[in-house]
Amino acid sequence: QVQLVESGGGLVQAGGSLRLSCAASGSIPSINAMRWYRQAPGNQRELVAGIGSGGSTNYADSVKGRFTISRDNAKNTVYLQMNSLKPEDTAIYYCTLITTGGSYWGQGTQVTVSS
C-alpha cells in the first residue's frame, strides 16, 4: 500500500508564494516520475509539473518561470515551489507517483490566490 500525503496549500494574495510538499510512504515500487496536477472548479485536471527519476523536469506553459518542482529521493518527497501566484492558479493541487507498480494519487490540497 502506497500513501501520498500533501501539505502546504492555503490562501495567499496575488504575487505571493507557497510551497507544496508530497510525501510518499509504504511499499513503494521503483519510482519513474513524480508529478503535480491541479483542478479548478469546472475545469479538467491539468498537468502542472513533473520530474523524472533522473531529475528532468517539465512544466505547463502557464507556470513556466514561476513554479519549480523538485524531489528528495531519500525522503520520497516531491515539492512544488510556487512564486508570483495569480488568481488563476487557484485550484486543488494533487501529486501523483508514477511507479513500475502503477500510479498513485494524493488526496489534494487547496490553493487559493486572492486578487
Side-chain angles (χ1 to χ4, degrees):
Q1 188 79 6
V2 176
Q3 290 184 328
L4 299 179
V5 178
E6 296 134 335
S7 60
L11 173 64
V12 64
Q13 288 188 333
S17 298
L18 285 173
R19 188 192 194 209
L20 305 183
S21 299
C22 174
S25 62
S27 301
I28 304 172
S30 179
I31 297 173
N32 293 330
M34 302 180 83
R35 298 171 182 161
W36 287 95
Y37 286 78
R38 67 185 181 187
Q39 187 168 19
N43 291 355
Q44 291 186 332
R45 191 171 295 189
E46 63 173 350
L47 176 65
V48 176
I51 184 165
S53 56
S56 61
T57 59
N58 61 286
Y59 297 92
D61 288 343
S62 59
V63 307
K64 282 181 182 177
R66 300 189 296 122
F67 290 11
T68 302
I69 189 171
S70 60
R71 62 189 286 180
D72 184 332
N73 291 332
K75 295 181 179 180
N76 289 322
T77 299
V78 63
Y79 305 97
L80 186 67
Q81 178 66 43
M82 306 186 294
N83 299 328
S84 302
L85 283 161
K86 303 176 181 180
E88 51 263 44
D89 294 317
T90 295
I92 300 175
Y93 284 70
Y94 300 89
C95 71
T96 181
L97 197 64
I98 315 300
T99 77
T100 55
S103 298
Y104 303 91
W105 288 82
Q107 80 287 353
T109 185
Q110 177 70 48
V111 171
T112 303
V113 184
S114 63
S115 57

